[in-house]
Amino acid sequence: MKEINAMGHACPRPVIMTKKAIVEENLNEVLVRVNNEIATENLSKMGEQLGFTPSVNKVSNTEYEVSLVRQAGACELMDMEEDNDEFIVVFSSNELGVGEESFSKTLLNGFVYALTEQDRVPKYVVCYNKGVEITTINEKTVQDLKVLEQKGTEILSCGLCLENYGLKEKLSVGTVTNMYRICELQLKYKTVKPC
């Protein structure tokens, strides 16, 4: 049984670490150590989606063990949800959802990181309005977007938006585009718009 120590890691990292190990090593049994109950729920859901039976053991208030055992007859390859449609991801904000500002920014960082760990990456990531901050002054998202770029994703930021927020000289990943091109891409491709 493979053991994964995800103690101290906030979601989605425990799920990403576990899925990556299962796929790359073709594992049948995994024991994941985490320090919060939300991670146990997310790991259990992911395990069920991949054909594993989950069980959770609460060691203490700050330590949990999630055991995942592959069900008999479950597929060894993890392409159950494979879909060959190309898609784009559009960011119009520097926050994910509506809520407390710093938490919403943390959620956005987590979403961009999780995007780098998906089996399929977007054809384009398009940023406009305050979304251009993720290609300029947000160091965490800039690094993750560079990973996506290496995987073949084209990163585009609205030039007018960069100018409006005084960020044109700070563009750190991708290239400048215009609203006509942004409109064209959203009409052509399936669009994921998390914010």
Side-chain angles (χ1 to χ4, degrees):
M1 176 181 285
K2 168 92 175 189
E3 289 194 19
I4 298 172
N5 184 355
M7 295 288 287
H9 291 286
C11 278
R13 289 194 190 273
V15 169
I16 291 168
M17 292 167 65
T18 305
K19 183 176 181 186
K20 194 172 194 175
I22 288 171
V23 172
E24 289 178 359
E25 301 174 41
N26 196 26
L27 300 173
N28 291 317
E29 293 184 38
V30 183
L31 179 69
V32 189
R33 298 181 193 285
V34 293
N35 64 337
N36 65 82
E37 197 169 354
I38 296 295
T40 68
E41 294 168 6
N42 292 334
L43 284 162
S44 295
K45 288 175 190 170
M46 182 269 304
E48 289 170 350
Q49 290 170 348
L50 298 179
F52 285 74
T53 301
S55 64
V56 177
N57 176 34
K58 182 176 179 178
V59 177
S60 71
N61 286 338
T62 58
E63 184 177 355
Y64 299 83
E65 296 175 340
V66 180
S67 174
L68 302 172
V69 178
R70 189 185 303 272
Q71 298 169 6
C75 297
E76 289 188 10
L77 298 174
M78 304 303 167
D79 34 330
M80 299 173 223
E81 297 176 24
E82 190 167 313
D83 180 358
N84 291 323
D85 290 339
E86 292 180 325
F87 67 101
I88 67 172
V89 178
V90 177
F91 294 98
S92 63
S93 176
N94 60 354
E95 300 176 28
L96 187 64
V98 178
E100 194 268 315
E101 182 181 352
S102 65
F103 181 67
S104 297
K105 287 182 177 183
T106 299
L107 287 178
L108 180 73
N109 291 346
F111 182 91
V112 176
Y113 171 73
L115 199 55
T116 69
E117 295 293 329
Q118 299 302 308
D119 295 332
R120 291 187 312 136
V121 296
K123 182 141 179 87
Y124 295 93
V125 167
V126 178
C127 301
Y128 62 87
N129 209 338
K130 291 291 272 184
V132 297
E133 288 188 6
I134 75 168
T135 59
T136 56
I137 59 175
N138 183 330
E139 293 177 17
K140 288 181 180 180
T141 54
V142 164
Q143 292 308 309
D144 289 330
L145 291 173
K146 285 180 178 179
V147 170
L148 282 177
E149 203 172 41
Q150 290 171 355
K151 292 181 175 185
T153 299
E154 191 172 339
I155 314 295
L156 302 172
S157 293
C158 168
L160 183 63
C161 304
L162 289 166
E163 271 185 34
N164 182 65
Y165 293 111
L167 296 172
K168 197 163 193 171
E169 302 303 318
K170 295 184 179 184
L171 186 64
S172 300
V173 61
T175 57
V176 176
T177 193
N178 57 65
M179 198 50 71
Y180 181 85
R181 180 69 173 141
I182 290 171
C183 180
E184 187 177 59
L185 291 173
Q186 289 190 74
L187 291 171
K188 181 175 181 180
Y189 294 98
K190 183 175 14 173
T191 301
V192 176
K193 194 167 184 304
C195 57

